[in-house]
């Protein structure tokens, strides 16, 4: 972090907004009017518009002790884009609201915005507005993401049927393990002054937590291969919770195979080190921002072309419930907390 400290009060509100947005460039033809007026104007010619919003509160959703502000800016945008992709839509614009106390310097906000702009660049979205205000304590962020989708091509959480395949992108549990590691090292650091955190060889899981990516590539793969998932959701709260959302809203059950749940080797190794069950981390951990979706069996041959997609189970009748078949061949009912091994 830079050592300079410029008080935000020295710029005033409008000076600050100008400073933060002076290099903001429009990338999408759909952005008709951007920052600088009472509202932005967007025209998704012939498309439907998708809107999603999220808040991130310091101390609840992030800890600035181990979250670099640039990463926080990046993640604040990415988690919202992930929701738009989960609708099978393409994000095109965001608005960003921030509230901060006088603890924050201009340099700190600049770092945060560096991350915001990096995400906008990578995902080709325009920052078209926001609001800037103060808080008594802590940093508060709210992002609204706007996207477009061809008429009626959006994908909801309802509509899957018995026999369809349950699929997930990437790998799961890494972000939760990253959080566990950083929380543990924070505790050691606070209790034993001067002891530097031991984060060696854990770049993967730390990256999964601090710098998640949204699965733009999966949506593009669907479009290129003419695949229309029957339901979809992004994995923000853990696999169990997301499968239950799809099954509850579709009024179905599901069978999930433990063996098929994708967990990265580096995540698995760290889980074993902590004597945690990697499957439990995938089921109950959160913030992986992968896509969970269902497809018709007729799309099976297309889906297996993508190495980033795992088929992890299938949809059943509602009466059969939502179950996991363990590596040992046992069947357990899935609850939002994972699965109850005592049942
Ligand atoms: P108003 O008084 O109409 O709410 P503001 O002075 O809050 O207008 O904002 C002026 C312009 O700057 C608007 O286009 C608004 O969307 C944009 N803006 C304000 N804060 C931010 C921010 N933190 N990031 C991006 N754009 C912002
Ligand atoms: Mg305003």
């Amino acid at each position: 972090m830079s050592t300079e400290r410029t008080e935000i009060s020295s710029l005033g509100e409008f000076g600050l907004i100008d400073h933060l947005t002076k290099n903001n460039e429009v990338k999408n033809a759909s952005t008709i009017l951007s920052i600088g007026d009472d509202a932005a104007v967007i025209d998704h010619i012939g498309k439907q518009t998708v809107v999603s919003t999220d808040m991130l509160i310091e101390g609840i959703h992030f800890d600035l002790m181990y979250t670099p502000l640039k990463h926080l800016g990046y993640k604040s945008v990415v988690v919202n884009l992930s929701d738009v992709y989960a609708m099978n839509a393409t994000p095109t614009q965001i608005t960003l609201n921030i509230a901060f106390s006088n603890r924050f310097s201009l340099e700190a906000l600049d770092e945060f915005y560096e991350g915001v702009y990096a995400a906008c660049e990578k995902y080709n979205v325009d920052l078209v507005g926001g609001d800037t205000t103060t808080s008594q304590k802590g940093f508060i962020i709210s992002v609204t993401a706007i996207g477009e989708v061809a008429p009626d091509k959006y994908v909801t959480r309802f509509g899957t049927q018995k026999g369809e395949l349950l699929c997930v992108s990437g790998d799961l549990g890494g972000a939760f393990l990253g959080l566990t590691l950083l929380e543990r090292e924070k505790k050691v650091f606070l209790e034993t002054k001067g002891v530097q955190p031991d984060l060696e060889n854990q770049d993967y899981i730390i990256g999964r937590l601090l710098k998640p990516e949204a699965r733009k590539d999966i949506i593009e793969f669907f479009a290129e291969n003419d695949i229309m998932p029957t339901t979809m959701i992004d994995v923000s709260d853990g696999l169990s919770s997301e499968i239950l959302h799809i099954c509850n809203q579709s009024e179905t059950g599901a069978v999930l195979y433990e063996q098929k749940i994708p967990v990265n080797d580096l995540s698995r190794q760290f889980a074993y080190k902590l004597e945690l069950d990697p499957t439990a981390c995938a089921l109950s951990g959160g913030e992986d921002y992968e896509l969970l979706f269902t497809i018709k069996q007729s799309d099976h041959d297309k889906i297996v072309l993508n190495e980033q997609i795992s088929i992890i189970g299938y949809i059943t009748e509602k009466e059969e419930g939502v179950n996991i078949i363990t590596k040992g061949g046992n069947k357990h009912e899935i609850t939002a907390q994972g699965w109850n091994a005592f049942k």
Side-chain angles (χ1 to χ4, degrees):
M1 208 196 270
S2 127
T3 49
E4 264 177 81
R5 181 181 166 97
T6 309
E7 294 303 327
I8 289 165
S9 54
S10 70
L11 281 94
E13 184 190 339
F14 301 124
L16 173 64
I17 296 170
D18 278 348
H19 173 87
L20 293 176
T21 60
K22 62 175 184 283
N23 296 322
N24 189 36
E25 275 171 24
V26 167
K27 299 185 264 307
N28 291 284
S30 57
T31 305
I32 308 291
L33 186 66
S34 182
I35 292 171
D37 218 302
D38 295 311
V41 180
I42 294 166
D43 190 351
H44 288 137
I45 308 157
K47 301 273 181 75
Q48 288 175 342
T49 300
V50 172
V51 181
S52 179
T53 194
D54 270 307
M55 288 187 83
L56 294 164
I57 313 289
E58 182 180 354
I60 308 285
H61 302 101
F62 59 89
D63 187 332
L64 287 178
M65 234 186 117
Y66 54 73
T67 311
L69 281 161
K70 186 175 172 181
H71 288 67
L72 182 62
Y74 192 87
K75 181 169 175 173
S76 302
V77 175
V78 163
V79 301
N80 276 271
L81 302 185
S82 177
D83 281 319
V84 174
Y85 289 122
M87 299 302 289
N88 196 36
T90 303
T92 46
Q93 288 86 14
I94 59 163
T95 61
L96 167 62
N97 303 328
I98 49 172
F100 47 83
S101 67
N102 57 13
R103 176 162 65 92
F104 284 80
S105 65
L106 182 64
E107 287 76 16
L109 286 188
D110 277 341
E111 270 191 55
F112 176 80
Y113 266 78
E114 241 184 86
V116 168
Y117 286 122
C120 287
E121 199 64 44
K122 168 137 190 192
Y123 293 92
N124 195 44
V125 302
D126 295 326
L127 172 64
V128 297
D131 200 20
T132 307
T133 188
T134 48
S135 75
Q136 277 191 345
K137 205 167 150 276
F139 191 25
I140 301 166
I141 306 156
S142 170
V143 178
T144 298
I146 298 157
E148 60 176 37
V149 62
D152 302 323
K153 293 291 182 195
Y154 60 89
V155 175
T156 63
R157 299 174 178 184
F158 54 88
T160 187
Q161 289 175 0
K162 178 186 169 182
E164 290 185 351
L165 304 174
L166 188 60
C167 308
V168 73
S169 65
D171 60 78
L172 302 172
F176 170 76
L177 287 159
L179 177 66
T180 307
L181 169 65
L182 290 173
E183 284 288 337
R184 186 188 73 176
E185 293 304 319
K186 174 187 166 183
K187 204 159 165 261
V188 172
F189 180 78
L190 290 176
E191 284 170 3
T192 340
K193 282 223 165 68
V195 172
Q196 285 304 307
D198 174 16
L199 303 176
E200 215 172 309
N201 301 324
Q202 303 300 351
D203 291 357
Y204 183 73
I205 58 173
I206 293 172
R208 290 292 285 167
L209 178 75
L210 297 183
K211 196 174 177 288
E213 299 291 352
R215 296 314 300 250
K216 179 179 200 268
D217 59 321
I218 300 292
I219 299 309
E220 290 170 351
F221 172 76
F222 292 154
E224 282 156 18
N225 291 279
D226 205 16
I227 298 165
M228 180 76 179
T230 52
T231 61
M232 186 153 55
I233 187 168
D234 71 328
V235 184
S236 52
D237 296 336
L239 185 59
S240 302
S241 163
E242 317 305 0
I243 289 180
L244 289 171
H245 279 306
I246 286 181
C247 289
N248 289 338
Q249 293 202 32
S250 299
E251 297 187 35
T252 64
V255 168
L256 172 67
Y257 292 98
E258 180 183 18
Q259 208 166 356
K260 304 278 187 195
I261 300 174
V263 177
N264 185 284
D265 283 341
L266 296 164
S267 304
R268 195 180 298 280
Q269 281 162 23
F270 186 69
Y272 287 143
K273 210 168 137 184
L274 294 188
E275 298 185 358
L276 289 172
D277 175 9
T279 302
C281 294
L283 288 173
S284 309
E287 299 205 76
D288 289 311
Y289 299 104
E290 295 296 343
L291 290 173
L292 175 73
F293 56 94
T294 51
I295 55 159
K296 294 201 161 67
Q297 279 191 20
S298 53
D299 280 332
H300 172 274
D301 293 355
K302 289 182 185 171
I303 280 292
V304 294
L305 296 174
N306 192 325
E307 286 179 0
Q308 284 291 311
I309 297 175
S310 305
I311 300 174
I312 58 173
Y314 60 90
I315 300 298
T316 64
E317 304 264 22
K318 183 185 168 82
E319 292 66 39
E320 293 175 55
V322 180
N323 295 286
I324 182 166
I325 311 289
T326 66
K327 286 175 183 162
N330 295 314
K331 187 169 155 184
H332 297 280
E333 193 172 352
I334 289 180
T335 63
Q337 283 72 42
W339 48 277
N340 186 351
F342 303 105
K343 235 179 141 181

